[in-house]
Amino acid sequence: MPVPFDPSETFAEYANPEVLVSTEWLAANLGSAGLVVLESDEDVLLYQSGHIPTARKIDWFTELNDDVVRDYLSGTDFAALLSAKGINRDDTVVIYGDKSNWWAAYALWVFKLFGHSDVRLLNGGRDKWIAEGRELTRETQDFATTQYPVVERNDAPIRAFRDDVLAHFGNPLIDVRSPQEYSGERTHMPDYPEEGALRGGHIPSAASVPWAKAANEDKTFKNLADLKALYLDEAGLKAGDDVIAYCRIGERSSHTWFVLKYLLGFESVRNYDGSWTEWGSSVGVPIVKGTEAGLAPAPRR
Amino acid sequence: MTNPPSVTSLITDFNELGVQDRLSLLLEYSDNLPSLPARYLDHPDLLERVEECQSPIYLFVEVNEDDVVHLFFSAPAEAPTTRGFASVLHEALNGLPAKVVLEVDNNFPDEMGLTVAVSPLRMNGMRAMLARIKRQIREKTA
């Protein structure tokens, strides 16, 4: 059974305030029936080093991807994973993680591919919880496994493939990578090792809005006015736009996808998870180098 | 390339465990990474940043007059995987003769059975730490 929404005033201005919970709300609701808390981090040892009491770990590297094909879990795999984590289809799932919830948003996006209805993010994530001196534990709690139903993945509404991007030209694209990746100076994040793309640059016409601009210093999401300034005024998105966001493998762009979809309320937003590691190595697709967005080519359908 | 007993026993220790227990062991190493001595705490400029790692980690290598290697690392608590790798390298290599460390297999991090649990980018970071340790040793014994 889902648990009640966080009624915090702070969230009321967003298009979908029910997708966020505050640290206060979570602290008060830990242990509620129907609530499962999941931690999703970039650093796979961080959960073990101390986590929010009752939280279970979800591992983006070993649990959300297919072992062989570059793709996400199948419906059967997802049902097995959620059953093992003791999650029911109608449970409220609150996800939090390191780095401004970057990997938490990624896990949430994968949950949405399977239509899990009530998934929320802890605003400010792991860092805010710790900064407020709240309890962490290394104890894991026993829980009963469940029978999560097999639901086929429904990619089309929120996931874009390479050919969808080629057909999308003329509609807005948001590149959420660093300025150096956007210009083509480098094909990986600053301070991160090289991770295979054969060309540098960006998809023609994509606006550059590095993902972390949507987060405050304390890792919470920026308020509505700031988000509008960033995505509407600066990046030029307009109400009703059909938007595709991308990064390097689709993780940072999940954070932006979450902001556009749930906080700003764009109905049609897709995450292109193939992102630069696919586009930058794909034969014959258009690329722009430098800081200018470039013109959209004719869509290829 | 020849691995000294300290490296082969680490490889055995990790591989004897199931995947989750390997991560627990790595966390134990992370918890036990020796802190920097005062002479480096006061001189962070002496430390070398390992650019290949996703989290900030710094290292410094001393080679004393008997050609014995001493390793020093600094990595934040929020980066337990990186700290764990540093601590494993400390356990495996600290106190060995320089020429023994230079002979260690560059790919031994991949033999620890962690590639099933830790992303390739991170394993790359551990190999990079080893490569930088060796480079500093070569510079200091040249």
Side-chain angles (χ1 to χ4, degrees), chain A residues 124-138:
Chain A
R126 183 182 165 92
D127 288 345
K128 185 158 193 279
W129 182 273
I130 293 173
E132 292 169 347
R134 297 180 189 275
E135 184 186 357
L136 289 183
T137 179
R138 287 190 175 191

Side-chain angles (χ1 to χ4, degrees), chain A:
Chain A
M1 287 298 292
V3 294
F5 297 125
D6 180 347
S8 299
E9 280 293 309
T10 333
F11 305 149
E13 62 176 3
Y14 296 130
N16 299 90
E18 69 280 4
V19 296
L20 290 175
V21 303
S22 60
T23 48
E24 294 81 11
W25 183 94
L26 186 61
N29 283 274
L30 283 179
S32 299
L35 172 67
V36 176
V37 182
L38 295 177
E39 178 162 341
S40 172
D41 296 316
E42 185 192 37
D43 188 313
V44 297
L45 267 192
L46 211 44
Y47 170 87
Q48 279 96 327
S49 77
H51 53 82
I52 295 177
T54 75
R56 298 162 204 173
K57 176 184 176 179
I58 189 148
D59 189 318
W60 63 273
F61 177 59
T62 58
E63 295 182 325
L64 297 178
N65 289 287
D66 186 274
D67 285 348
V68 180
V69 177
R70 182 174 175 190
D71 204 351
Y72 297 98
L73 302 174
S74 68
T76 315
D77 296 337
F78 188 73
L81 176 70
L82 268 68
S83 300
K85 304 240 177 251
I87 300 171
N88 291 297
R89 182 76 174 161
D90 61 353
D91 279 343
T92 296
V93 177
V94 170
I95 311 182
Y96 73 96
D98 58 354
K99 314 225 161 155
S100 305
N101 276 329
W102 161 6
W103 296 94
Y106 187 54
L108 181 145
W109 178 75
V110 174
F111 273 55
K112 288 298 182 187
L113 291 174
F114 295 95
H116 191 98
S117 66
D118 191 0
V119 197
R120 313 178 196 175
L121 290 184
L122 172 66
N123 198 28
R126 183 182 165 92
D127 288 345
K128 185 158 193 279
W129 182 273
I130 293 173
E132 292 169 347
R134 297 180 189 275
E135 184 186 357
L136 289 183
T137 179
R138 287 190 175 191
E139 298 290 315
T140 48
Q141 285 202 331
D142 290 336
F143 54 85
T145 56
T146 50
Q147 294 286 325
Y148 197 91
V150 174
V151 181
E152 284 316 310
R153 215 175 63 213
N154 183 15
D155 291 333
I158 60 170
R159 183 181 189 195
F161 292 90
R162 192 197 70 148
D163 290 353
D164 298 326
V165 178
L166 286 166
H168 180 81
F169 284 127
N171 293 293
L173 286 152
I174 303 283
D175 184 316
V176 316
R177 299 172 301 158
S178 61
Q180 298 93 321
E181 292 170 275
Y182 182 83
S183 67
E185 198 180 313
R186 63 201 310 166
T187 53
H188 56 100
M189 280 176 277
D191 302 336
Y192 279 58
E194 184 65 55
E195 192 183 39
L198 293 172
R199 290 288 189 270
H202 56 269
I203 301 178
S205 79
S208 169
V209 187
W211 73 279
K213 286 193 171 181
N216 293 310
E217 278 284 296
D218 70 354
K219 321 293 188 201
T220 56
F221 290 102
K222 286 201 172 145
N223 65 37
L224 189 64
D226 287 352
L227 292 177
K228 280 183 170 168
L230 196 57
Y231 294 101
L232 307 187
D233 303 345
E234 286 179 45
L237 295 183
K238 292 185 292 297
D241 272 347
D242 177 13
V243 190
I244 292 178
Y246 71 93
C247 58
R248 182 182 54 99
I249 56 168
E251 13 63 286
R252 285 174 285 176
S253 46
S254 298
H255 189 272
T256 299
W257 169 84
F258 181 88
V259 169
L260 295 175
K261 174 116 189 139
Y262 294 111
L263 306 187
L264 285 168
F266 283 90
E267 285 195 7
S268 178
V269 191
R270 284 172 291 168
N271 181 23
Y272 169 40
D273 59 278
S275 278
W276 199 256
T277 50
E278 177 179 61
W279 195 273
S281 293
S282 208
V283 177
V285 299
I287 288 175
V288 172
K289 282 182 95 80
T291 53
E292 295 299 320
L295 294 174
R300 289 190 204 168
R301 293 197 170 90

Side-chain angles (χ1 to χ4, degrees), chain B residues 53-119:
Chain B
C53 283
Q54 280 160 293
S55 312
I57 165 136
Y58 297 84
L59 64 84
F60 192 80
V61 181
E62 284 180 4
V63 183
N64 72 10
E65 58 271 26
D66 301 323
D67 271 354
V68 170
V69 170
H70 290 282
L71 301 175
F72 303 92
F73 296 94
S74 166
E78 318 80 87
T81 302
T82 303
R83 281 181 64 87
F85 287 162
S87 183
V88 164
L89 289 169
H90 187 270
E91 171 82 11
L93 309 177
N94 193 60
L96 294 179
K99 64 173 192 294
V100 174
V101 177
L102 290 175
E103 278 299 302
V104 167
D105 180 2
N106 294 333
N107 292 317
F108 100 80
D110 286 343
E111 307 292 312
M112 290 166 51
L114 288 168
T115 48
V116 288
V118 177
S119 75

